């Protein structure tokens, strides 16, 4: 397995399309039952083009909702979605960031983030 992982360390690693996966970002938090994420990104010639975060324990409502203009909600490490469904965050270069609450039913509508670059 380590030999296969080392294939990504060559001098051509930054060329072409490469998918990058972090299966459990926040391992210690995952083990405690707190926040963690499953991260996936598409790189083209070393530049991020697409990113997706699965955050099964993330719990908040209406972070980008129109009914909360100007209000930000904080994410707390130990405040978790008791159903374990959480949120999916996705971004495509040049098209913005979207969030979608996950459910056991068909996909719910996504909300576009209107946050400005900092």
């Amino acid at each position: 397995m380590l030999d296969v992982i080392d294939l990504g360390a060559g001098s051509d690693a930054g060329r072409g399309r490469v998918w990058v996966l972090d299966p459990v970002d926040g391992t210690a938090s995952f083990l405690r039952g707190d926040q963690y994420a499953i991260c996936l990104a598409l790189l083209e010639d070393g530049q991020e083009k697409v990113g997706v975060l699965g955050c099964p324990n993330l719990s908040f409502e209406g972070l980008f909702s129109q009914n909360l203009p100007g209000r930000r909600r904080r994410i707390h490490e130990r405040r978790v979605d008791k159903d374990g469904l959480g949120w999916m965050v996705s971004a495509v270069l040049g098209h913005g960031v979207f969030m979608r609450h996950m459910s056991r039913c068909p996909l719910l509508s996504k909300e576009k983030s209107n946050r400005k670059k900092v």
Side-chain angles (χ1 to χ4, degrees), residues 18-30:
V18 177
W19 286 98
V20 180
L21 172 67
D22 185 349
V24 181
D25 184 16
T27 306
S29 297
F30 170 77

Side-chain angles (χ1 to χ4, degrees), residues 7-19:
L7 291 175
S11 61
D12 291 337
R15 294 187 190 162
R17 285 185 163 189
V18 177
W19 286 98

